[in-house]
Amino acid sequence: MRLLHTMLRVGDLERSLKFYCDVLGMKLFRKKDYPGGEFTLAFVGYGDEADHTVLELTYNWGVDSYDLGSAYGHIALGVDDIYQTCKQIQAMGGEVVREPGPMKHGSTVIAFVQDPDGYKVELIQLGTSAGTAKAS
């Protein structure tokens, strides 16, 4: 078995694609409308779906916002230079909601950005003590 994708419901697919592709540097692999169900799926990520986990963005036609709830946490991305990455995200209009620095009660360097729908994306500095582990 392997993890294939994580799905997020988005209120404006083009706005979300701009964030994930232009700001975070993912590629759009495929996008398809489902008129019978009145939704569109777009799959984005950093590597081909054949051997990488991707993100499924689901746009339900006519729905422009969602209650995020209290159970959802975040998506995590490993980065080589967290400080430069945050500067680039801000320069492209992205919102850094937690500046880079060591995580509470640990030494892993993390930051958080927020996508247009309010979902959190954790950035983890690769090479810090637990840089490939979940840090929150």
Side-chain angles (χ1 to χ4, degrees), residues 28-133:
L28 173 62
F29 294 112
R30 57 191 168 101
K31 179 177 157 185
K32 184 174 180 184
D33 293 329
Y34 292 85
E38 297 186 348
F39 65 94
T40 302
L41 301 181
F43 291 82
V44 299
Y46 294 110
D48 187 87
E49 291 178 79
D51 42 42
H52 288 83
T53 302
V54 297
L55 190 59
E56 174 189 327
L57 303 176
T58 299
Y59 172 64
N60 291 297
W61 301 355
V63 180
D64 63 2
S65 66
Y66 292 92
D67 294 325
L68 298 186
S70 61
Y72 176 79
H74 59 267
I75 298 164
L77 303 175
V79 299
D80 291 323
D81 184 340
I82 199 165
Y83 298 96
Q84 185 62 32
T85 300
C86 285
K87 285 179 187 175
Q88 289 172 339
I89 288 170
Q90 288 172 318
M92 298 184 80
E95 183 181 2
V96 176
V97 295
R98 192 239 195 234
E99 293 293 329
M103 64 178 271
K104 190 184 263 189
H105 310 296
S107 59
T108 302
V109 178
I110 65 170
F112 278 90
V113 299
Q114 186 167 287
D115 87 350
D117 288 284
Y119 294 111
K120 300 290 190 289
V121 178
E122 180 182 25
L123 305 177
I124 301 173
Q125 175 71 44
L126 296 175
T128 58
S129 65
T132 57

